[in-house]
Amino acid sequence: MGEISITKLLVVAALIVLVFGTKKLRTLGGDLGSAIKGFKKAMSEDDTAAKKSAEDEVPAEKLSHKE
């Protein structure tokens, strides 16, 4: 087993294009991109919701130790 060279990567890419076709790969790329956008949007909405709920919480009373 040798190293992966640029020529091997090009051959694999050419075979993938021949098997699936450019239209199918373009559709797959678009679907993958929209999935990543949706994931990032959901993560940012979750972060803002968590920050808002943390700000809305009433702070607990401070307990002091009395002897």
Side-chain angles (χ1 to χ4, degrees):
M1 295 280 159
E3 296 179 17
I4 299 175
S5 64
I6 189 72
T7 54
K8 290 179 183 178
L9 289 175
L10 290 174
V11 168
V12 169
L15 289 174
I16 290 173
V17 169
L18 287 174
V19 170
F20 293 109
T22 56
K23 187 174 183 180
K24 184 93 166 181
L25 291 175
R26 190 177 314 124
T27 305
L28 180 67
D31 292 344
L32 182 64
S34 64
I36 291 172
K37 283 182 185 178
F39 178 75
K40 286 182 179 180
K41 183 179 177 184
M43 291 298 294
S44 67
E45 288 175 356
D46 187 40
D47 288 343
T48 56
K51 286 179 184 177
K52 185 176 180 181
S53 67
E55 291 172 356
D56 291 343
E57 290 180 2
V58 177
E61 293 181 24
K62 292 185 179 180
L63 299 175
S64 60
H65 183 70
K66 295 182 182 177
E67 291 185 19

